[in-house]
Amino acid sequence: MARTYLDHNATAPLRPQARAAVVAALDVFGNASSVHAEGRRARALIDEAREAVAQLVNADAGEVVFTSGATEANTWALSAPWETIVLAGIEHDSVRAPATAMAAARGARVVDIPVTRGGTADYGSAPLNAATLLVLQLANNETGVLQNVEAAGLRATENGARLHTDAVQAPGRVAIDFKTLGASTMSLSAHKIGGPKGIGALVVGNGVTLPALFAGGGQELRRRAGTENVAAIAGFGAAARAALDELAGASRVAKLRDRLEAEVKRATPEAVIIGADAPRLPNTAAIALPGVSAETLVIKFDLAGVAISAGAACSSGKVAESHVLTAMGLPPEIAGSAIRVSLGPETTEAEIAAFLAAWTRICGSASLAA
Ligand code: PMP
């Protein structure tokens, strides 16, 4: 049976260009710190990739530091000096967990900002001063809702506060301009844009002070010591180039997503489209069928050949109640029944039709009663 993969926010299939770059780079065995020709070849691959990632988000190449992924990048960004950290319950666990742990270790304060039912974080009354780190994601991984990071950056700058943004879900879907965001730091992850897993970046603005993540060798501009993962970095670079080219296709993806949501509403009027009124990523639909377990839906769709997820993908494979939907104030019968359908640049009309056929079969009232 042909599979329909609609879980791009969990991870995207490896792009052919990224695969080719990884495979080619595996044979470039030199140590990028070596001065000889073999080393210089590896260095050139890293430099090219750094340039590509910088272009994807309109940053300077010297601002891009490769990490093992966005979890590492978020944790590192939070190691900045602060006495108060301000964030909302919709942030990813890779932000929330280190924020709580670091605040406890420093005896510092965590200020939890409110979130509207539409999924927008309201930092309006948050204490912002030179001792504050404000954290605000660019796009939510479960709902696709976009935050106005630029406005937050302006407020942070006016108050001398620092802003970190988790931009993992945004590249290739919406344009990102690090230079105008007003953020000190920004996290990225290659596997969300069709690059390999286990590689990402923290963009550290020019002039922003941040303690080195690892001391040791002088790699990554003395910010993250350790011999570079050249193949993964090259794959990230190739994926970044492709993602930038693909922004033009975002409206096609939005049309497919909108059609999917409209058809779902037609087939099951009781379905709730979460975040529908907020500015959203073009590829994400968060749909709840009140009272129906999301976990059950995910399993039924999987058996029907369609890969979707229930809220966030959980590392344990177990679906926990979504902290994002709970932070949005959605009641348990909605939060517990929300599925996430996330499209990719290659998603076809036929795949949307396959999803809708499965939806009608699985979620039609007679089927669910059965
Ligand atoms: N932030 C967000 C919004 C994410 O969706 C993810 C991945 N689920 C991460 C951070 C973590 O990224 P990585 O897998 O590269 O550690």
Side-chain angles (χ1 to χ4, degrees):
M1 178 177 41
R3 298 275 306 169
T4 298
Y5 186 77
L6 296 173
D7 201 12
H8 285 77
N9 290 11
T11 197
L14 189 67
R15 292 173 193 267
Q17 305 94 312
R19 187 179 196 285
V22 169
V23 170
L26 284 170
D27 286 326
V28 180
F29 65 88
N31 185 320
S33 299
S34 302
V35 293
H36 45 59
E38 288 80 358
R40 290 198 310 275
R41 279 188 68 204
R43 168 66 48 210
L45 289 182
I46 295 174
D47 289 347
E48 264 172 47
R50 201 185 308 281
E51 190 59 53
V53 172
Q55 271 183 25
L56 177 65
V57 297
N58 194 31
D60 293 341
E63 294 176 309
V64 174
V65 186
F66 290 113
T67 63
S68 70
T71 298
E72 180 180 310
N74 281 334
T75 303
W76 184 21
L78 267 54
S79 76
W82 46 265
E83 285 161 24
T84 302
I85 190 163
V86 175
L87 76 168
I90 53 172
E91 292 294 328
H92 192 262
D93 277 337
S94 62
V95 166
R96 295 191 327 141
T100 310
M102 287 182 201
R106 295 175 188 199
R109 189 160 66 124
V110 181
V111 175
D112 194 10
I113 50 177
V115 181
T116 66
R117 249 179 125 88
T120 305
D122 178 7
Y123 51 86
S125 58
L128 297 182
N129 57 47
T132 305
L133 174 63
L134 171 62
V135 185
L136 187 63
Q137 62 188 198
L138 239 161
N140 187 265
N141 49 307
E142 293 185 37
T143 62
V145 171
L146 294 163
Q147 304 297 325
N148 192 343
V149 175
E150 201 168 330
L154 209 59
R155 281 264 339 262
T157 308
E158 279 166 10
N159 291 282
R162 188 191 273 248
L163 172 69
H164 169 64
T165 187
D166 173 345
V168 165
Q169 294 290 345
R173 299 172 182 167
V174 291
I176 305 175
D177 186 347
F178 183 71
K179 290 194 191 305
T180 61
L181 276 183
S184 296
T185 48
M186 178 167 79
S187 313
L188 298 168
S189 179
H191 74 96
K192 307 288 184 178
I193 57 168
K197 293 169 180 61
I199 187 77
L202 185 68
V203 183
V204 184
N206 291 324
V208 171
T209 50
L210 190 66
L213 179 63
F214 302 136
Q219 293 92 350
E220 294 300 288
L221 312 161
R222 303 204 163 276
R223 288 164 157 166
R224 184 189 188 265
T227 302
E228 300 88 341
N229 186 346
V230 180
I233 290 172
F236 187 10
R241 273 189 289 275
L244 189 58
D245 288 347
E246 195 165 85
L247 266 178
S251 60
R252 185 195 74 89
V253 173
K255 276 201 196 99
L256 288 179
R257 189 274 311 272
D258 292 348
R259 188 186 134 215
L260 181 149
E261 290 181 347
E263 295 285 330
V264 159
K265 282 295 279 181
R266 218 159 55 92
T268 43
E270 68 275 27
V272 178
I273 311 294
I274 297 164
D277 297 330
R280 277 189 295 163
L281 291 175
N283 77 315
T284 308
I287 306 169
L289 205 52
V292 178
S293 142
E295 198 170 356
T296 305
L297 290 180
V298 169
I299 293 164
K300 288 191 175 191
F301 274 90
D302 187 39
L303 292 173
V306 182
I308 55 168
S309 73
C314 245
S315 54
S316 59
K318 201 170 139 279
V319 181
E321 185 151 306
S322 156
H323 70 266
V324 170
L325 304 180
T326 306
M328 288 166 66
L330 297 174
E333 65 273 19
I334 292 188
S337 76
I339 57 160
R340 175 184 68 188
V341 186
S342 48
L343 287 56
E346 313 286 336
T347 300
T348 61
E349 300 259 359
E351 288 175 310
I352 299 301
F355 170 85
L356 290 168
W359 177 273
T360 309
R361 220 166 40 244
I362 295 166
C363 303
S365 45
S367 331
L368 280 170

